[in-house]
């Protein structure tokens, strides 16, 4: 989950360094734990059960991940669940049950809380899973929604980040950069979130035809992102990618993570990226959102070249959002390159890091 | 989880009223969800698997559930896991894997975070389960630890709150009121938490022999409570109680919840309650801690009269903490009575409610 405030990256205490230090402290072992810290979900293999289970958790903190005045409790509840459903979609997984930890200060009414749960419930009915319980408590400041979700793969196995091979086709399903532009519009003008709520409830997210339509779509993508559950299901069952994850922190950083896990590099082509087709902000900012903007919850996956064409065509036939090949994996570990106007250069890796401090 | 600040109960927006309103908003259904909101854990019945799974979540918020200056990151990490392990013990369950959502402000060092995880790891190695991953993010204020745990029953079935019958013997395993008195001492004098950390790491929690020993034990019970995992395992496997839960919010309120779920009443005897045997605070305050103090994480369970004597003897032989019969269940739904000095009166129900407002 990428927060609403921007911070520069600094290696002194980056999220990855901190995760590495945490990993070093853990000695407790549990035989059912197949894949732990590092992928979108933990993978659990219960004895006597063929399919593994998937467990993940995500949090939305007021002032860090959202501003209460820019959204409604219904939209916020919806988003709090969809970002978790996206973590499952990222591994080819189906949501089963959620537990919710809700902390808030004394100024929130019971009606506000009910609306939060109504939003969660709509997301559960649309994208799978059911609310199984949780905990209510006071917070020292602001509203905090921490949700854990248990799921299982649609296919026989979850799709990890680590299986991509050189030559695999790199694909994206979903828009890139819209959420970051939506956040920019909120910073500039705030929002009348009630109107997004009506759009959300009516479940019409058609491809816009006007610049204003795209602007609204950006806001909607930021305030109420939707997980790629149905495409993930098709992939998991019909044509498991060699690697998959969701684009939650930005294409460049998430692509770097996928390459790191797989021990590969990659080359992507700028003009294939599924960004907003109309210019809504200055070109260099729109390009930044496309390459580095987070919270899009698009699927990033890799397919063997022989399977890619047919799989992408099948996905496109099922999808209201773009499904495109954006490049290919290469053998040179850690090398990310970007082709733009016929020239290849290094793809700069920038994305939100919670623990980086401004230099 | 009972917070460190006290609030009076008020029915206008009590936790139970709020839970009822939340329950009313939920329409999403998931066939594997057997027991949802209302018990210590959700119970999930996966197709093709005999034993159900248990899923629960709990949160520790700075200033609400703890003060950073009263504890150490190691103790705090330990407690954040043991309160979740206790939710599983409450249902006769075994912890399998945890996911951790950690939010914090910029003033916490990487070493502090590592110590938190070392504390969690010790609790996992002592009481079961392994850390499977989670999320790190910034918080707007203070440290927030939200943990979800997946487990399974030790026996064939989890022990719910709802199975107690009139005539069943009401039992408690563990001390009552010590944690609340420990909290009182912290309010009065603060703590040199480092010394508790040494005691905790050495794993010696012998029954104290002096007043000062009991005072320290109260502090330890508050700062680093331990879940009744081994007694819960024995009960779950050898002699499943008709109903069980942990005493997290105080004996009176938790007993009222158990009676409500079972449709019974109960009668308990004051002089059988396993409280601190020496006077550390004024008598009326010590009695209040015993009846209404929270965060003890003792087990509260009911046994059929024919099985109680033998089961309690077997548990006592395995337990370093008291295991006692404190009374019996009655047929009069919702009626809780207390016998003290030979006289029976109504047991007042007082316990922490996060959402009650002072009248």
């Amino acid at each position: 989950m990428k927060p609403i405030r921007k911070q520069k990256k600094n290696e002194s205490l980056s999220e990855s360094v901190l995760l590495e230090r945490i990993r070093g402290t853990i000695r407790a072992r549990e035989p059912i734990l197949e894949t732990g810290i590092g992928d979108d979900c933990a993978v659990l293999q219960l004895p006597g059960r063929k399919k593994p289970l998937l467990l993940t958790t995500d949090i939305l903190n007021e002032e860090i991940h959202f501003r209460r005045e820019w959204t409604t409790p219904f939209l916020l509840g919806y988003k709090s669940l969809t970002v978790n459903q996206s973590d499952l979609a990222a591994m080819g997984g189906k949501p089963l049950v959620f537990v919710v930890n809700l902390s808030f200060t004394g100024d929130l009414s019971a009606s506000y809380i009910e609306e939060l749960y109504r939003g969660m419930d709509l997301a559960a009915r649309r994208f799978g899973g059911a609310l199984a319980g949780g905990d209510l408590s006071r917070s020292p400041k602001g509203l905090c929604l921490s949700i854990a979700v248990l799921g299982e793969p649609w296919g026989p196995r979850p799709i990890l980040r680590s299986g991509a091979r050189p030559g695999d086709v790199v694909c994206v399903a979903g828009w890139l950069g819209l959420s970051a532009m939506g956040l920019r519009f909120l910073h500039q003008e705030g929002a009348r979130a009630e109107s997004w709520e009506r759009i959300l409830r009516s479940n019409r997210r058609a491809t816009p035809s006007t610049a204003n339509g795209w602007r609204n779509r950006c806001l909607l993508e930021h305030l109420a992102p939707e997980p790629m559950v149905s495409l993930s299901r098709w992939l998991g069952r019909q044509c498991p990618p060699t690697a998959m994850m969701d684009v939650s922190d930005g294409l460049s950083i998430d692509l770097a993570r996928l390459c790191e896990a797989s021990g590969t590099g990659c080359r992507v082509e700028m003009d294939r990226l599924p960004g907003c087709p109309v210019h809504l902000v200055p070109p260099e900012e729109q390009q930044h959102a496309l390459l580095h903007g987070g919270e899009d919850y698009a699927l990033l996956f890799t397919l063997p070249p022989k399977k890619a064409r047919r799989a992408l065509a099948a996905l496109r036939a099922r999808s209201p959002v773009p499904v495109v090949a954006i490049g290919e994996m290469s053998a040179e570990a850690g090398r990310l390159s970007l082709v733009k106007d016929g020239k290849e250069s290094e793809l700069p890796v920038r994305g939100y890091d919670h623990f980086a401090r401004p230099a």
Side-chain angles (χ1 to χ4, degrees), chain A:
Chain A
M1 171 62 50
K2 190 160 172 158
I4 53 172
R5 282 180 300 178
K6 286 175 186 174
Q7 255 178 300
K8 282 194 182 165
K9 189 162 179 168
N10 175 318
E11 284 305 320
S12 68
L13 184 58
S14 74
E15 204 166 331
S16 58
V17 170
L18 196 51
L19 274 175
E20 208 41 65
R21 291 183 66 165
I22 289 171
R23 214 177 264 133
T25 66
I26 305 301
R27 288 191 284 155
R29 294 285 171 263
E30 168 53 57
I32 72 161
L33 187 58
E34 217 178 81
T35 305
I37 300 171
D39 217 309
D40 292 282
C41 305
V43 182
L44 320 172
Q45 189 59 64
L46 294 175
R49 192 165 191 271
K50 249 184 174 172
K51 271 195 193 189
L53 288 170
L54 305 170
L55 184 64
T56 184
T57 185
D58 214 336
I59 197 165
L60 294 181
N61 278 319
E62 185 170 349
E63 289 181 38
I64 306 295
H65 303 105
F66 65 91
R67 289 198 190 163
R68 219 192 296 172
E69 67 269 25
W70 285 348
T71 188
T72 68
F74 187 86
L75 291 174
L76 190 59
Y78 190 80
K79 179 169 181 170
S80 71
L81 216 65
T82 60
V83 298
N84 277 287
Q85 289 165 320
S86 181
D87 275 332
L88 279 168
M91 297 188 84
K94 169 191 180 181
L96 293 170
V97 286
F98 304 92
V99 283
V100 179
N101 248 327
L102 187 65
S103 299
F104 50 98
T105 49
D107 61 327
L108 281 197
S109 66
S111 313
Y112 192 98
I113 305 299
E114 277 180 318
E115 276 294 288
L116 275 172
Y117 278 88
R118 282 204 188 92
M120 289 184 222
D121 188 59
L122 180 62
R125 283 182 284 127
R126 282 201 184 147
F127 305 108
L131 271 78
D135 204 21
L136 296 170
S137 64
R138 284 274 180 242
S139 84
K141 187 177 182 188
L143 174 60
C144 164
L145 280 144
S146 168
I147 298 184
V149 53
L150 184 73
E152 64 177 2
W154 291 105
R157 300 286 315 156
I159 318 297
L160 305 182
R161 297 178 179 186
S162 52
R165 287 162 299 195
D168 281 356
V169 180
V170 184
C171 311
V172 168
W175 296 104
L176 293 178
L178 270 61
S179 175
M181 290 201 288
L183 175 59
R184 188 192 145 102
F185 300 144
L186 288 172
H187 273 288
Q188 287 169 341
E189 306 163 41
R192 285 173 309 157
E194 291 68 23
S195 55
W196 314 128
E197 200 172 304
R198 278 197 300 276
I199 296 172
L200 180 66
R201 287 188 201 260
S202 73
N203 201 16
R204 283 174 293 131
R205 210 172 277 215
T207 305
S209 54
T210 63
N212 196 48
W214 278 105
R215 194 179 172 287
N216 286 343
R217 178 62 179 264
C218 289
L219 285 161
L220 189 60
E221 290 298 323
H222 185 77
L223 294 171
E226 297 196 335
M228 300 285 140
V229 171
S230 70
L231 299 186
S232 170
R233 177 178 55 202
W234 189 89
L235 281 165
R237 286 184 173 165
Q238 305 297 329
C239 182
T242 48
M244 187 154 70
M245 64 186 296
D246 64 344
V247 183
S248 53
D249 290 341
L251 178 67
S252 66
I253 199 166
D254 287 329
L255 202 46
R257 287 168 180 156
L258 192 143
C259 286
E260 195 190 343
S262 295
T264 59
C266 74
R267 200 180 70 124
V268 299
E269 296 183 36
M270 187 74 193
D271 62 5
R272 293 206 198 171
L273 301 182
C276 179
V278 300
H279 288 291
L280 297 176
V281 301
E284 65 279 13
E285 288 185 32
Q286 193 144 339
Q287 181 180 316
H288 192 277
L290 183 61
L291 290 174
H292 314 297
E295 293 204 79
D296 278 315
Y297 303 103
L299 282 181
L300 173 66
F301 56 100
T302 55
L303 292 169
K306 282 188 183 169
K307 294 184 175 175
R309 184 183 298 267
R310 187 175 290 185
L312 291 178
L315 287 169
R316 269 182 214 122
R318 284 164 176 79
S319 171
V321 294
V323 181
V324 291
I326 63 164
E328 63 172 22
M329 299 307 278
S330 66
E332 205 173 338
R335 184 184 157 93
L336 276 66
S337 66
L338 180 70
V339 181
K340 192 184 167 188
D341 302 329
K343 286 178 206 153
E344 189 169 330
S345 59
E346 190 189 341
L347 172 64
V349 175
R350 293 198 193 98
Y352 185 80
D353 188 311
H354 274 268
F355 307 102
R357 286 162 187 160

mmCIF file of all heavy atoms in Angstrom, chain A residues 167-195:
data_model
loop_
_atom_site.group_PDB
_atom_site.id
_atom_site.type_symbol
_atom_site.label_atom_id
_atom_site.label_comp_id
_atom_site.label_asym_id
_atom_site.label_seq_id
_atom_site.Cartn_x
_atom_site.Cartn_y
_atom_site.Cartn_z
ATOM 1 N N GLY A 167 13.587 -14.525 -21.539
ATOM 2 C CA GLY A 167 12.807 -14.799 -22.737
ATOM 3 C C GLY A 167 11.308 -14.748 -22.496
ATOM 4 O O GLY A 167 10.521 -14.588 -23.438
ATOM 5 N N ASP A 168 10.876 -14.897 -21.237
ATOM 6 C CA ASP A 168 9.445 -14.807 -20.938
ATOM 7 C C ASP A 168 8.906 -13.423 -21.318
ATOM 8 O O ASP A 168 9.608 -12.413 -21.186
ATOM 9 C CB ASP A 168 9.191 -15.028 -19.437
ATOM 10 C CG ASP A 168 9.234 -16.512 -19.051
ATOM 11 O OD1 ASP A 168 9.385 -17.363 -19.951
ATOM 12 O OD2 ASP A 168 9.136 -16.794 -17.838
ATOM 13 N N VAL A 169 7.659 -13.428 -21.739
ATOM 14 C CA VAL A 169 7.006 -12.162 -22.093
ATOM 15 C C VAL A 169 6.471 -11.496 -20.821
ATOM 16 O O VAL A 169 5.798 -12.141 -20.020
ATOM 17 C CB VAL A 169 5.848 -12.424 -23.087
ATOM 18 C CG1 VAL A 169 5.165 -11.115 -23.463
ATOM 19 C CG2 VAL A 169 6.379 -13.140 -24.326
ATOM 20 N N VAL A 170 6.815 -10.213 -20.634
ATOM 21 C CA VAL A 170 6.323 -9.466 -19.470
ATOM 22 C C VAL A 170 4.992 -8.825 -19.837
ATOM 23 O O VAL A 170 4.899 -8.122 -20.844
ATOM 24 C CB VAL A 170 7.316 -8.354 -19.060
ATOM 25 C CG1 VAL A 170 6.829 -7.659 -17.794
ATOM 26 C CG2 VAL A 170 8.711 -8.922 -18.860
ATOM 27 N N CYS A 171 3.964 -9.087 -19.013
ATOM 28 C CA CYS A 171 2.614 -8.604 -19.335
ATOM 29 C C CYS A 171 2.023 -7.802 -18.180
ATOM 30 O O CYS A 171 2.375 -8.007 -17.014
ATOM 31 C CB CYS A 171 1.679 -9.786 -19.604
ATOM 32 S SG CYS A 171 2.342 -10.994 -20.767
ATOM 33 N N VAL A 172 1.107 -6.918 -18.540
ATOM 34 C CA VAL A 172 0.359 -6.169 -17.532
ATOM 35 C C VAL A 172 -1.121 -6.260 -17.851
ATOM 36 O O VAL A 172 -1.517 -6.114 -19.014
ATOM 37 C CB VAL A 172 0.797 -4.685 -17.498
ATOM 38 C CG1 VAL A 172 -0.161 -3.840 -16.666
ATOM 39 C CG2 VAL A 172 2.207 -4.554 -16.933
ATOM 40 N N ALA A 173 -1.931 -6.507 -16.834
ATOM 41 C CA ALA A 173 -3.387 -6.443 -16.986
ATOM 42 C C ALA A 173 -3.896 -5.343 -16.075
ATOM 43 O O ALA A 173 -3.729 -5.422 -14.858
ATOM 44 C CB ALA A 173 -4.037 -7.782 -16.627
ATOM 45 N N GLY A 174 -4.469 -4.310 -16.667
ATOM 46 C CA GLY A 174 -4.960 -3.183 -15.875
ATOM 47 C C GLY A 174 -4.254 -1.907 -16.288
ATOM 48 O O GLY A 174 -3.246 -1.952 -16.992
ATOM 49 N N TRP A 175 -4.774 -0.774 -15.837
ATOM 50 C CA TRP A 175 -4.171 0.518 -16.143
ATOM 51 C C TRP A 175 -2.997 0.797 -15.223
ATOM 52 O O TRP A 175 -2.994 0.376 -14.076
ATOM 53 C CB TRP A 175 -5.207 1.628 -15.974
ATOM 54 C CG TRP A 175 -6.367 1.536 -16.926
ATOM 55 C CD1 TRP A 175 -7.628 1.115 -16.632
ATOM 56 C CD2 TRP A 175 -6.366 1.876 -18.316
ATOM 57 N NE1 TRP A 175 -8.417 1.161 -17.755
ATOM 58 C CE2 TRP A 175 -7.673 1.633 -18.804
ATOM 59 C CE3 TRP A 175 -5.396 2.361 -19.204
ATOM 60 C CZ2 TRP A 175 -8.027 1.852 -20.136
ATOM 61 C CZ3 TRP A 175 -5.754 2.587 -20.523
ATOM 62 C CH2 TRP A 175 -7.054 2.338 -20.978
ATOM 63 N N LEU A 176 -2.034 1.565 -15.730
ATOM 64 C CA LEU A 176 -0.910 2.014 -14.900
ATOM 65 C C LEU A 176 -0.927 3.543 -14.787
ATOM 66 O O LEU A 176 -1.131 4.235 -15.780
ATOM 67 C CB LEU A 176 0.430 1.583 -15.511
ATOM 68 C CG LEU A 176 0.735 0.077 -15.547
ATOM 69 C CD1 LEU A 176 2.080 -0.163 -16.235
ATOM 70 C CD2 LEU A 176 0.737 -0.520 -14.146
ATOM 71 N N GLY A 177 -0.689 4.040 -13.594
ATOM 72 C CA GLY A 177 -0.509 5.482 -13.403
ATOM 73 C C GLY A 177 -1.776 6.251 -13.105
ATOM 74 O O GLY A 177 -1.711 7.407 -12.682
ATOM 75 N N LEU A 178 -2.938 5.634 -13.303
ATOM 76 C CA LEU A 178 -4.187 6.370 -13.087
ATOM 77 C C LEU A 178 -4.372 6.752 -11.618
ATOM 78 O O LEU A 178 -4.745 7.880 -11.305
ATOM 79 C CB LEU A 178 -5.389 5.548 -13.578
ATOM 80 C CG LEU A 178 -5.784 5.753 -15.046
ATOM 81 C CD1 LEU A 178 -4.658 5.354 -15.982
ATOM 82 C CD2 LEU A 178 -7.069 4.992 -15.379
ATOM 83 N N SER A 179 -4.093 5.798 -10.724
ATOM 84 C CA SER A 179 -4.279 6.058 -9.298
ATOM 85 C C SER A 179 -3.398 7.219 -8.829
ATOM 86 O O SER A 179 -3.843 8.092 -8.084
ATOM 87 C CB SER A 179 -3.968 4.788 -8.499
ATOM 88 O OG SER A 179 -4.027 5.042 -7.130
ATOM 89 N N ALA A 180 -2.138 7.248 -9.291
ATOM 90 C CA ALA A 180 -1.220 8.322 -8.894
ATOM 91 C C ALA A 180 -1.715 9.671 -9.404
ATOM 92 O O ALA A 180 -1.607 10.688 -8.710
ATOM 93 C CB ALA A 180 0.184 8.035 -9.411
ATOM 94 N N MET A 181 -2.283 9.686 -10.607
ATOM 95 C CA MET A 181 -2.827 10.946 -11.111
ATOM 96 C C MET A 181 -4.083 11.342 -10.331
ATOM 97 O O MET A 181 -4.295 12.514 -10.041
ATOM 98 C CB MET A 181 -3.091 10.843 -12.611
ATOM 99 C CG MET A 181 -1.776 10.788 -13.404
ATOM 100 S SD MET A 181 -1.963 11.248 -15.130
ATOM 101 C CE MET A 181 -2.840 9.807 -15.751
ATOM 102 N N GLY A 182 -4.890 10.352 -9.971
ATOM 103 C CA GLY A 182 -6.058 10.625 -9.143
ATOM 104 C C GLY A 182 -5.648 11.262 -7.818
ATOM 105 O O GLY A 182 -6.266 12.225 -7.348
ATOM 106 N N LEU A 183 -4.573 10.750 -7.244
ATOM 107 C CA LEU A 183 -4.072 11.306 -5.984
ATOM 108 C C LEU A 183 -3.630 12.757 -6.180
ATOM 109 O O LEU A 183 -3.872 13.621 -5.343
ATOM 110 C CB LEU A 183 -2.897 10.444 -5.489
ATOM 111 C CG LEU A 183 -2.168 10.932 -4.243
ATOM 112 C CD1 LEU A 183 -3.116 11.036 -3.046
ATOM 113 C CD2 LEU A 183 -1.010 9.976 -3.895
ATOM 114 N N ARG A 184 -3.010 13.032 -7.329
ATOM 115 C CA ARG A 184 -2.582 14.389 -7.646
ATOM 116 C C ARG A 184 -3.790 15.325 -7.711
ATOM 117 O O ARG A 184 -3.766 16.437 -7.177
ATOM 118 C CB ARG A 184 -1.845 14.364 -8.988
ATOM 119 C CG ARG A 184 -1.189 15.665 -9.356
ATOM 120 C CD ARG A 184 -0.753 15.616 -10.818
ATOM 121 N NE ARG A 184 -0.912 16.929 -11.408
ATOM 122 C CZ ARG A 184 0.093 17.764 -11.624
ATOM 123 N NH1 ARG A 184 1.315 17.406 -11.344
ATOM 124 N NH2 ARG A 184 -0.108 18.967 -12.127
ATOM 125 N N PHE A 185 -4.860 14.850 -8.344
ATOM 126 C CA PHE A 185 -6.068 15.686 -8.438
ATOM 127 C C PHE A 185 -6.654 15.944 -7.047
ATOM 128 O O PHE A 185 -7.134 17.030 -6.771
ATOM 129 C CB PHE A 185 -7.113 15.031 -9.345
ATOM 130 C CG PHE A 185 -6.631 14.809 -10.755
ATOM 131 C CD1 PHE A 185 -7.015 13.683 -11.466
ATOM 132 C CD2 PHE A 185 -5.778 15.730 -11.365
ATOM 133 C CE1 PHE A 185 -6.567 13.478 -12.766
ATOM 134 C CE2 PHE A 185 -5.320 15.524 -12.664
ATOM 135 C CZ PHE A 185 -5.708 14.397 -13.364
ATOM 136 N N LEU A 186 -6.601 14.934 -6.191
ATOM 137 C CA LEU A 186 -7.115 15.124 -4.827
ATOM 138 C C LEU A 186 -6.293 16.172 -4.099
ATOM 139 O O LEU A 186 -6.828 17.028 -3.391
ATOM 140 C CB LEU A 186 -7.087 13.799 -4.055
ATOM 141 C CG LEU A 186 -8.128 12.769 -4.483
ATOM 142 C CD1 LEU A 186 -7.877 11.431 -3.802
ATOM 143 C CD2 LEU A 186 -9.535 13.254 -4.141
ATOM 144 N N HIS A 187 -4.956 16.111 -4.245
ATOM 145 C CA HIS A 187 -4.096 17.104 -3.610
ATOM 146 C C HIS A 187 -4.416 18.508 -4.119
ATOM 147 O O HIS A 187 -4.386 19.478 -3.372
ATOM 148 C CB HIS A 187 -2.614 16.789 -3.898
ATOM 149 C CG HIS A 187 -2.005 15.848 -2.910
ATOM 150 N ND1 HIS A 187 -1.716 16.206 -1.620
ATOM 151 C CD2 HIS A 187 -1.624 14.546 -3.022
ATOM 152 C CE1 HIS A 187 -1.187 15.180 -0.974
ATOM 153 N NE2 HIS A 187 -1.123 14.149 -1.803
ATOM 154 N N GLN A 188 -4.735 18.599 -5.424
ATOM 155 C CA GLN A 188 -5.000 19.912 -6.003
ATOM 156 C C GLN A 188 -6.358 20.460 -5.599
ATOM 157 O O GLN A 188 -6.510 21.624 -5.298
ATOM 158 C CB GLN A 188 -4.935 19.830 -7.537
ATOM 159 C CG GLN A 188 -3.521 19.691 -8.067
ATOM 160 C CD GLN A 188 -3.526 19.349 -9.562
ATOM 161 O OE1 GLN A 188 -4.532 18.878 -10.099
ATOM 162 N NE2 GLN A 188 -2.397 19.570 -10.208
ATOM 163 N N GLU A 189 -7.345 19.582 -5.630
ATOM 164 C CA GLU A 189 -8.712 20.101 -5.527
ATOM 165 C C GLU A 189 -9.587 19.434 -4.493
ATOM 166 O O GLU A 189 -10.730 19.835 -4.313
ATOM 167 C CB GLU A 189 -9.422 19.948 -6.885
ATOM 168 C CG GLU A 189 -8.669 20.576 -8.037
ATOM 169 C CD GLU A 189 -9.178 20.050 -9.370
ATOM 170 O OE1 GLU A 189 -10.410 19.910 -9.495
ATOM 171 O OE2 GLU A 189 -8.349 19.784 -10.260
ATOM 172 N N GLY A 190 -9.090 18.391 -3.847
ATOM 173 C CA GLY A 190 -9.974 17.647 -2.971
ATOM 174 C C GLY A 190 -10.970 16.856 -3.816
ATOM 175 O O GLY A 190 -10.783 16.714 -5.020
ATOM 176 N N ALA A 191 -12.015 16.374 -3.199
ATOM 177 C CA ALA A 191 -12.958 15.557 -3.974
ATOM 178 C C ALA A 191 -14.352 15.657 -3.394
ATOM 179 O O ALA A 191 -14.528 15.881 -2.205
ATOM 180 C CB ALA A 191 -12.519 14.099 -3.946
ATOM 181 N N ARG A 192 -15.325 15.520 -4.281
ATOM 182 C CA ARG A 192 -16.678 15.294 -3.786
ATOM 183 C C ARG A 192 -16.909 13.801 -3.857
ATOM 184 O O ARG A 192 -17.415 13.289 -4.850
ATOM 185 C CB ARG A 192 -17.691 16.057 -4.637
ATOM 186 C CG ARG A 192 -17.683 17.571 -4.354
ATOM 187 C CD ARG A 192 -18.567 18.256 -5.347
ATOM 188 N NE ARG A 192 -18.186 17.816 -6.693
ATOM 189 C CZ ARG A 192 -18.985 17.847 -7.755
ATOM 190 N NH1 ARG A 192 -20.212 18.271 -7.642
ATOM 191 N NH2 ARG A 192 -18.563 17.447 -8.943
ATOM 192 N N ALA A 193 -16.468 13.113 -2.818
ATOM 193 C CA ALA A 193 -16.391 11.654 -2.882
ATOM 194 C C ALA A 193 -17.746 10.986 -3.052
ATOM 195 O O ALA A 193 -17.835 9.874 -3.561
ATOM 196 C CB ALA A 193 -15.684 11.126 -1.638
ATOM 197 N N GLU A 194 -18.816 11.700 -2.649
ATOM 198 C CA GLU A 194 -20.146 11.091 -2.751
ATOM 199 C C GLU A 194 -20.454 10.675 -4.193
ATOM 200 O O GLU A 194 -21.117 9.684 -4.441
ATOM 201 C CB GLU A 194 -21.232 12.058 -2.251
ATOM 202 C CG GLU A 194 -21.194 12.306 -0.755
ATOM 203 C CD GLU A 194 -19.972 13.089 -0.301
ATOM 204 O OE1 GLU A 194 -19.370 13.806 -1.132
ATOM 205 O OE2 GLU A 194 -19.591 12.957 0.873
ATOM 206 N N SER A 195 -19.982 11.479 -5.157
ATOM 207 C CA SER A 195 -20.300 11.135 -6.544
ATOM 208 C C SER A 195 -19.602 9.839 -6.951
ATOM 209 O O SER A 195 -20.140 9.040 -7.699
ATOM 210 C CB SER A 195 -19.921 12.279 -7.478
ATOM 211 O OG SER A 195 -18.571 12.621 -7.300
#
